[in-house]
Amino acid sequence: MKERLIGFIKTYCLFVCIFVLQKPFFMLFYQSLYPNASCADWFSVIWHGLPLDLSLAGYLTAIPGFLFIASAWTLSKFLHRIWCGYFLFISILLSVIFIVDLGLYEYWGFRLDATPLFYFFSSPKDAVASVSIWTVTGGILAMAVYAVLLYGIFYAVLLQKKQLLRMKLPYRRLKVSGILLLMTGLLFIPIRGGFTVSTMNVGKVYYSTDQRLNHAAINPAFSLMESIAKQKDFSKQYRFMEAAEADRLFKGLVDPAVLKEGISPSDSLQQSADSLHTLFTTRRPDVLFIIMESFSSKLMTVLGGDPDIAVHLDSLSREGVLFTNFYANSFRTDRGLVAILSGYPAQPTTSIMKYPRKTQSLPAIAGSLKKAGYSTKYYYGGDADFTNMRSYLISSGIEDIISDQDFPVSERLSKWGVHDHLVFRRLLDDLKAEATADDDSAKENPHFRVLQTSSSHEPFEVPYRRLENDRLNAFAYADSCVGDFVKQFRELPQWKNTVIVLVPDHLGAYPEHLDNLSVERYQIPLLMIGGAIRSPRHIDVYGSQHDIAATLLAQLSLPHNEFTFSKDMMNPDSPHFAFFTVPDALGMVTADNQVIFNCQAGDVVVDEGTAKRKNLPLGKAYLQKLYDDIAKR
């Protein structure tokens, strides 16, 4: 009996020790992020991360607990093979999780969750396009080495030296089985995190104002497990307040058109009349969205950024409409696309693009314009099936999708597919063909087009060299593609009746090392140019990507009341704020208050401005209502 009880305790303690040792290894691997970490900081990381380690160790010891019970009744070779198989599987699983987490943290700034699973299984090629083949190979080798090391430890401590005695007396077997069953049941205590009302969650390790120390304390396997568990029941997530209070606060955060239930199209047209011709010279211009990969406000001098990078955007901003207090909704392309094209805010724990059944019920700019007689087309040099993009685009009203498979193999030279200048060339060729076509209906019907760039993304390999820094050079290349396209487009007859909306999908690789829990992480440009722009101007109202839909449709005198979360930024009666999310936090920014709330830690990490904490309850209500809406779709 003693050998089984000791073996059970050793199993649990061994898991805990493995998880504890991962933390200093993580900090050593990212030593540049912890230059001033003291011995006390290292100890604090281990100590505060211990609850998650104890909890996950409880989960992983449960099956060995039952195997110990079975060993009281039989010591067959088959049972031993089950022992070995279980620890081999756990060794591989833990090694994959830990090495993937090490590799991704540099790019994403948060510990592993379910996000990479979504990206990888939707398109493995694009999921690893940001990293070199040597990085992937090194990662796989590191996984193999770590898995072998873990299994060797398990085998030496728990398997090879396990000398359990066969029990011949039935009452001793029952006694040992009962005690082991009780001990296995007691694992519920560390798994749950004690007997308090709250259960174990990642937020329990947060203890420092330095978010990197909090991140180091997180057990990546537990973070992944918790994230996967959060993917389903949206109606129970982010319950900050009573439903009635959330409803009350939310009413002050939506566009006036949304509050008028049963609004007719004619009423909507009348409501939009004040802003109809403030930006555009024509009622039904062609609309072209250029969604720029990873661009930041800090790339444009006019927005206080560094000089000599996005020189063409800087020049174009002097002839267009520039929104100077504009924010991304999140940190990844799939979130940004839905925010831009459907006026739907990004979510911290999931991506709604993952759920085709839900995205097909979302409103979309393409769908609204299609009803108004527009033809719709999408241009992208990469894989349109990545992150369920094709499903979303088709259900949103896009009629024709040009993607990597529509280009010759010789032009698919980027890790993300086709370089930006070739995608712009394809669009320009279509515009030229349209201008010379004999089909009058094709010329008369307005067009809605979207072009999504991809070259300004890791690994920043572009057919262009103007700047020494690779990432800045990639942004300069993308900027040059925009500039060259606009220069040639001006020569075509469609230019005078076109509005081009330039907006990034999110802020990416510049500025470097921005914390996800900082307001600067979400500052991006929104620029409207084209022959149909009435006059150049800068607009300083606050808004986010999901406000583009209502703003554009209002300018076109089209109803936008179905876009519940989108606001007309040109309507003085609309609330003006920016909202964004990132795993696992929310942010709300207005002229008088900038707040970021860490949902995991339950703590405010940014609270600046003259009206501190004003936006905190509003942001919570907004996120709660967003998840109510997702649950209903």
Side-chain angles (χ1 to χ4, degrees):
M1 181 175 75
K2 181 174 67 175
E3 289 80 4
R4 288 170 175 81
L5 297 180
I6 293 175
F8 180 90
I9 295 172
K10 282 199 302 184
T11 302
Y12 181 78
C13 292
L14 185 56
F15 278 124
V16 172
C17 290
I18 289 171
F19 298 143
V20 165
L21 291 174
Q22 286 180 346
K23 292 170 177 55
F25 187 89
F26 176 87
M27 294 180 70
L28 285 171
F29 188 83
Y30 284 107
Q31 191 172 11
S32 62
L33 299 180
Y34 304 95
N36 301 317
S38 64
C39 292
D41 288 329
W42 288 66
F43 179 78
S44 294
V45 164
I46 293 173
W47 176 253
H48 287 91
L50 194 58
L52 295 188
D53 300 337
L54 296 175
S55 179
L56 188 62
Y59 281 107
L60 299 182
T61 307
I63 290 179
F66 289 111
L67 293 176
F68 274 114
I69 294 173
S71 71
W73 299 86
T74 177
L75 290 176
S76 65
K77 292 182 178 179
F78 178 71
L79 181 62
H80 189 261
R81 284 197 292 268
I82 294 177
W83 275 97
C84 295
Y86 174 78
F87 284 103
L88 177 61
F89 171 76
I90 293 300
S91 299
I92 296 172
L93 179 64
L94 292 180
S95 66
V96 170
I97 290 173
F98 185 63
I99 300 303
V100 169
D101 174 70
L102 276 182
L104 290 180
Y105 184 79
E106 177 182 1
Y107 300 102
W108 289 4
F110 59 87
R111 302 304 294 269
L112 188 65
D113 65 3
T115 304
L117 296 181
F118 171 40
Y119 295 139
F120 183 80
F121 287 113
S122 62
S123 179
K125 174 180 175 290
D126 281 352
V128 298
S130 298
V131 295
S132 67
I133 186 64
W134 299 111
T135 301
V136 175
T137 303
I140 294 173
L141 180 61
M143 291 177 195
V145 172
Y146 190 39
V148 170
L149 176 63
L150 285 180
Y151 186 72
I153 293 172
F154 287 133
Y155 193 87
V157 177
L158 301 174
L159 302 175
Q160 185 182 43
K161 296 181 179 180
K162 182 166 67 72
Q163 301 293 332
L164 300 180
L165 300 177
R166 185 183 301 276
M167 294 187 172
K168 299 180 179 180
L169 299 177
Y171 79 89
R172 288 183 59 84
R173 294 177 179 176
L174 289 173
K175 180 180 178 181
V176 170
S177 298
I179 294 174
L180 287 171
L181 184 61
L182 175 62
M183 294 181 67
T184 303
L186 290 175
L187 292 174
F188 174 79
I189 298 174
I191 286 175
R192 192 182 185 279
F195 299 99
T196 59
V197 175
S198 64
T199 56
M200 185 59 65
N201 59 81
V202 170
K204 289 198 173 186
V205 309
Y206 281 71
Y207 72 98
S208 173
T209 56
D210 185 344
Q211 295 302 323
R212 292 190 176 94
L213 293 177
N214 295 330
H215 291 170
I218 294 173
N219 185 308
F222 187 96
S223 176
L224 175 63
M225 179 183 67
E226 182 184 59
S227 176
I228 292 174
K230 281 186 177 181
Q231 295 294 305
K232 298 179 181 179
D233 194 352
F234 298 108
S235 64
K236 293 183 180 179
Q237 297 182 44
Y238 300 109
R239 302 297 95 185
F240 298 111
M241 60 193 72
E242 294 295 328
E245 177 66 5
D247 291 341
R248 183 186 70 81
L249 294 175
F250 185 67
K251 284 183 179 179
L253 299 173
V254 298
D255 194 271
V258 175
L259 295 176
K260 295 181 180 180
E261 297 182 7
I263 188 171
S264 67
S266 60
D267 291 335
S268 180
L269 300 186
Q270 181 63 38
Q271 177 190 342
S272 303
D274 291 340
S275 62
L276 173 59
H277 289 299
T278 57
L279 299 182
F280 305 158
T281 60
T282 179
R283 188 168 176 268
R284 286 290 180 270
D286 286 352
V287 179
L288 168 62
F289 275 39
I290 298 179
I291 300 177
M292 304 177 294
E293 172 66 47
S294 302
F295 263 74
S296 160
S297 294
K298 297 300 183 183
L299 294 166
M300 295 179 63
T301 308
V302 69
L303 293 175
D306 297 336
D308 199 38
I309 303 174
V311 293
H312 294 280
L313 288 179
D314 275 329
S315 176
L316 292 172
S317 68
R318 292 192 287 271
E319 63 181 69
V321 178
L322 179 66
F323 290 79
T324 58
N325 288 308
F326 197 73
Y327 290 77
N329 272 124
S330 193
F331 72 108
R332 297 293 293 181
T333 300
D334 53 308
R335 270 92 155 169
L337 289 181
V338 176
I340 294 168
L341 301 177
S342 286
Y344 203 75
Q347 309 87 52
T349 60
T350 190
S351 169
I352 198 169
M353 195 182 280
K354 180 180 179 180
Y355 305 95
R357 182 178 62 82
K358 294 182 181 292
T359 55
Q360 68 184 9
S361 68
L362 291 178
I365 294 174
S368 294
L369 295 184
K370 191 175 178 180
K371 292 177 184 177
Y374 280 73
S375 63
T376 59
K377 196 167 185 176
Y378 201 96
Y379 295 81
Y380 177 49
D383 181 3
D385 293 305
F386 187 46
T387 66
N388 288 342
M389 185 190 300
R390 187 185 302 275
S391 169
Y392 164 70
L393 293 176
I394 292 174
S395 64
S396 72
I398 297 294
E399 299 167 318
D400 190 10
I401 299 174
I402 302 298
S403 64
D404 58 349
Q405 298 302 311
D406 298 294
F407 291 83
V409 175
S410 59
E411 294 184 350
R412 303 177 209 166
L413 302 177
S414 164
K415 286 198 171 183
W416 287 99
V418 181
H419 283 300
D420 289 346
H421 74 281
L422 297 174
V423 183
F424 276 107
R425 188 180 69 184
R426 174 62 181 267
L427 170 57
L428 197 63
D429 288 344
D430 289 351
L431 290 169
K432 291 177 179 178
E434 175 191 303
T436 58
D438 295 330
D439 187 356
D440 292 334
S441 63
K443 297 180 181 179
E444 293 175 0
N445 294 336
H447 298 272
F448 174 64
R449 302 179 177 93
V450 181
L451 186 145
Q452 179 185 344
T453 72
S454 60
S455 296
S456 49
H457 195 295
E458 295 93 351
F460 308 116
E461 297 172 353
V462 295
Y464 177 89
R465 177 58 67 179
R466 183 169 70 81
L467 302 176
E468 291 185 8
N469 183 288
D470 285 344
R471 67 182 62 207
L472 292 182
N473 184 69
F475 285 114
Y477 162 70
D479 173 74
S480 73
C481 293
V482 172
D484 291 344
F485 168 76
V486 171
K487 180 180 178 181
Q488 296 183 67
F489 190 15
R490 290 182 195 273
E491 306 299 322
L492 299 180
Q494 298 100 312
W495 171 261
K496 64 181 180 180
N497 191 50
T498 296
V499 170
I500 302 177
V501 179
L502 297 122
V503 61
D505 54 353
H506 57 86
L507 186 151
Y510 188 82
E512 298 183 54
H513 308 306
L514 271 181
D515 194 309
N516 281 337
L517 300 181
S518 65
V519 174
E520 293 78 11
R521 176 69 171 81
Y522 307 94
Q523 293 176 334
I524 61 172
L526 171 63
L527 176 62
M528 298 181 182
I529 62 172
I533 293 295
R534 179 172 292 276
S535 60
R537 59 189 295 191
H538 286 189
I539 298 172
D540 62 0
V541 298
Y542 284 77
S544 304
Q545 288 168 321
H546 67 277
D547 297 323
I548 296 175
T551 304
L552 175 66
L553 294 174
Q555 290 296 313
L556 300 177
S557 193
L558 293 173
H560 62 272
N561 51 296
E562 64 177 328
F563 293 81
T564 305
F565 295 91
S566 188
K567 313 180 300 296
D568 178 7
M569 292 184 288
M570 299 303 296
N571 186 347
D573 294 328
S574 294
H576 297 300
F577 64 88
F579 178 82
F580 49 83
T581 64
V582 67
D584 188 5
L586 67 90
M588 181 171 280
V589 177
T590 56
D592 56 0
N593 186 218
Q594 303 85 49
V595 66
I596 296 180
F597 180 74
N598 189 322
C599 301
Q600 282 185 337
D603 186 30
V604 176
V605 294
V606 174
D607 187 20
E608 301 173 351
T610 59
K612 291 189 175 182
R613 297 286 174 125
K614 185 196 79 171
N615 289 338
L616 181 57
L618 300 178
K620 288 181 176 179
Y622 201 75
L623 184 58
Q624 182 168 320
K625 291 298 295 181
L626 174 62
Y627 271 70
D628 286 344
D629 189 81
I630 297 173
K632 292 185 297 185
R633 293 189 180 276

